[in-house]
């Protein structure tokens, strides 16, 4: 059995539930048998190692621990995991990847080595880093990991010339999209999307959807209506406005339950760089951008996306007045085009989804 693969599977159970902590999985193995396993619990709950070793009990003594991220060696919301490992009598630890958190970053590994614990590092490292790609970006830069998501026809249209967009893609794609929402800390849209679609911006996956991501609207002029559905759904909504917004409209949004942030303006629009920095400062580690075309255009023009998820339906809409999936300035030449790497292409019903990471210049 691939015990580190199992630890990664367990870790995925924590995605969307434990931010700003990383989603970590741990498996305790003794005599070829799993005697304990666990994932990170929501703050201030225990880390994955503690859950797994508690389940193992005395079975942890002399056992091997497989963990997807380096155990911490500092006092935070919980006690150091390294000391718990030593107290449990674990003989060997396999670590998928080192924790880039400056408070950890090799210290946990060094503590265990100095205490005589046998160590192996690097099993399924790329999988472990991708699992916590949002945490890694945020903990090292203070800026959330930004995923740009959009759905379009085969000819790149976001809607018909009359504005009809429900539904371009099928049920399987929409379900997949809700999974993206489930693991995101925040969903970001532009005000035009709110005005055109009146979206809920909620996770609708049954009992799993107890936690709703923060809803954020980039709305420089405060045009969002106080009756907008996203202001009356479970969870919190932030409206980011600029100095150009009318104070009465701002007051009405606050009265409707929105938290209003005053952002700097860039060409009359909300400064996205400032907005992401502010979200990061408030411990938002991941942002899912869902459009519309103007906001996505700004995201790509400014090279802010860390990941792209594009749903493509096998339909052709046509028409020069039908809105494209991406607006903005775009590039003048193909040499400047944003290119994706580490591509994955999957079939979702009749649709396909393309997932990739923008190449760093």
């Amino acid at each position: 059995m691939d015990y580190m693969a199992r630890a990664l599977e367990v870790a995925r159970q924590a995605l969307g539930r434990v931010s700003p902590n990383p989603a970590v999985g741990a498996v305790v193995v003794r005599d070829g048998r799993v005697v304990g396993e666990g994932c990170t619990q929501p703050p201030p709950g225990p880390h994955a190692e503690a859950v797994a070793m508690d389940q193992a009990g005395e079975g942890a003594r002399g056992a091997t621990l497989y963990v997807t991220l380096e155990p911490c060696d500092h006092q935070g919301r919980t006690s150091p995991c390294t000391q718990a490992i030593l107290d449990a009598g674990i003989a060997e630890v396999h670590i998928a990847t080192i924790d880039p958190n400056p408070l950890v970053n090799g210290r946990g590994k060094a503590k265990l080595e100095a205490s005589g614990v046998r160590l192996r590092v690097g099993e399924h490292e790329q999988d472990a880093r991708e699992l916590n790609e949002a945490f890694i970006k945020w903990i090292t830069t203070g800026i959330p990991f930004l995923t740009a998501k959009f759905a379009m026809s085969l000819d790149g249209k976001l809607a018909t010339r009359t504005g009809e967009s429900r539904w371009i893609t099928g049920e399987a794609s929409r379900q997949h999209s809700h999974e993206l929402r489930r693991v995101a800390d925040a969903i970001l849209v532009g005000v035009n999307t709110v005005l055109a679609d009146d979206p809920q911006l909620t996770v609708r996956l049954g009992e799993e959807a107890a936690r709703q991501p923060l809803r954020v609207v980039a709305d420089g002029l405060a045009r969002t209506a106080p009756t907008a559905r996203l202001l009356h759904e479970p969870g919190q909504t932030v409206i980011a406005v600029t100095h150009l917004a009318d104070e009465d409209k701002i007051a009405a949004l606050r009265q409707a339950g929105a938290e209003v942030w005053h952002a700097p303006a860039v060409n009359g629009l909300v400064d996205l760089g400032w907005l992401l920095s502010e979200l990061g400062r408030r411990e938002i580690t991941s942002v899912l951008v869902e459009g519309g075309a103007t906001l996505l255009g700004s995201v790509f023009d400014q090279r802010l996306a860390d990941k792209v998820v594009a749903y493509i339906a096998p339909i052709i809409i046509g028409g020069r007045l039908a809105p494209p999936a991406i607006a903005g300035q775009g590039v003048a030449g193909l040499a400047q085009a944003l290119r994706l790497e580490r591509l994955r292409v999957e079939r979702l019903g009749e649709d396909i989804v393309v997932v990739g990471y923008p190449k760093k210049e």
Side-chain angles (χ1 to χ4, degrees), residues 33-67:
R33 186 171 63 90
V34 174
V35 293
E37 62 181 29
C39 63
T40 312
Q41 298 301 297
H47 289 182
E49 300 94 323
V51 176
M53 292 185 300
D54 183 61
Q55 188 181 106
E58 280 302 310
R61 194 158 300 280
T64 299
L65 172 68
Y66 293 80
V67 62

Side-chain angles (χ1 to χ4, degrees), residues 31-32 42 48 52 64 74 108 117 163 174 232 234 245 257 293 298:
D31 299 327
T64 299
H74 66 283
V117 176
R174 296 197 294 277
H232 304 282
S298 295

Side-chain angles (χ1 to χ4, degrees), residues 47-109:
H47 289 182
E49 300 94 323
V51 176
M53 292 185 300
D54 183 61
Q55 188 181 106
E58 280 302 310
R61 194 158 300 280
T64 299
L65 172 68
Y66 293 80
V67 62
T68 59
L69 191 67
E70 178 187 12
C72 65
D73 188 44
H74 66 283
Q75 180 69 47
R77 291 186 178 99
T78 63
S79 300
C81 290
T82 50
Q83 191 57 52
I85 290 169
L86 296 175
D87 291 344
I90 294 287
E92 184 172 336
V93 176
H94 293 226
I95 301 169
T97 190
I98 297 299
D99 189 342
N101 183 346
L103 294 175
V104 185
N105 200 13
R107 295 180 186 180
K109 173 178 175 289

Side-chain angles (χ1 to χ4, degrees), residues 8-246:
L8 285 164
E9 186 179 336
V10 172
R12 290 187 182 95
Q13 299 172 14
L15 282 174
R17 299 174 49 233
V18 300
S19 185
N21 288 342
V24 180
V27 172
V28 180
V29 178
R30 183 171 179 176
D31 299 327
R33 186 171 63 90
V34 174
V35 293
E37 62 181 29
C39 63
T40 312
Q41 298 301 297
H47 289 182
E49 300 94 323
V51 176
M53 292 185 300
D54 183 61
Q55 188 181 106
E58 280 302 310
R61 194 158 300 280
T64 299
L65 172 68
Y66 293 80
V67 62
T68 59
L69 191 67
E70 178 187 12
C72 65
D73 188 44
H74 66 283
Q75 180 69 47
R77 291 186 178 99
T78 63
S79 300
C81 290
T82 50
Q83 191 57 52
I85 290 169
L86 296 175
D87 291 344
I90 294 287
E92 184 172 336
V93 176
H94 293 226
I95 301 169
T97 190
I98 297 299
D99 189 342
N101 183 346
L103 294 175
V104 185
N105 200 13
R107 295 180 186 180
K109 173 178 175 289
K111 172 68 175 289
L112 294 173
E113 283 180 320
S115 301
V117 176
R118 297 189 301 275
L119 284 182
R120 287 186 61 185
V121 179
E123 295 172 51
H124 291 284
E125 180 171 15
Q126 186 56 47
D127 293 333
R129 290 185 65 82
E130 184 172 329
L131 178 74
N132 276 306
E133 57 194 5
F135 169 77
I136 290 171
K137 165 83 180 291
W138 174 74
I139 202 67
T140 56
T141 67
I143 305 297
F145 185 91
L146 191 151
T147 298
K149 187 216 85 172
F150 51 93
M152 64 183 187
S153 63
L154 195 59
D155 55 337
K157 301 297 185 181
L158 191 68
T160 68
R161 58 184 170 82
T162 62
E164 183 182 350
S165 62
R166 295 182 180 176
W167 297 100
I168 285 179
T169 53
E171 178 61 31
S173 292
R174 296 197 294 277
Q175 186 79 1
H176 188 276
S177 177
H178 278 284
E179 288 290 344
L180 294 183
R181 286 183 179 182
R182 184 183 67 82
V183 300
D185 287 348
I187 301 171
L188 172 61
V189 298
V191 65
N192 290 334
T193 294
V194 176
L195 296 176
D197 299 337
D198 194 19
Q200 294 169 270
L201 299 185
T202 54
V203 181
R204 297 186 290 280
L205 291 171
E207 293 180 3
E208 293 184 49
R211 168 195 170 274
Q212 293 293 342
L214 177 70
R215 297 180 290 272
V216 184
V217 182
D219 182 6
L221 298 177
R223 291 189 291 150
T224 300
T227 55
R229 288 201 296 175
L230 57 80
L231 291 173
H232 304 282
E233 295 289 339
Q236 295 178 291
T237 302
V238 166
I239 310 292
V241 304
T242 68
H243 68 280
L244 301 171
D246 181 85

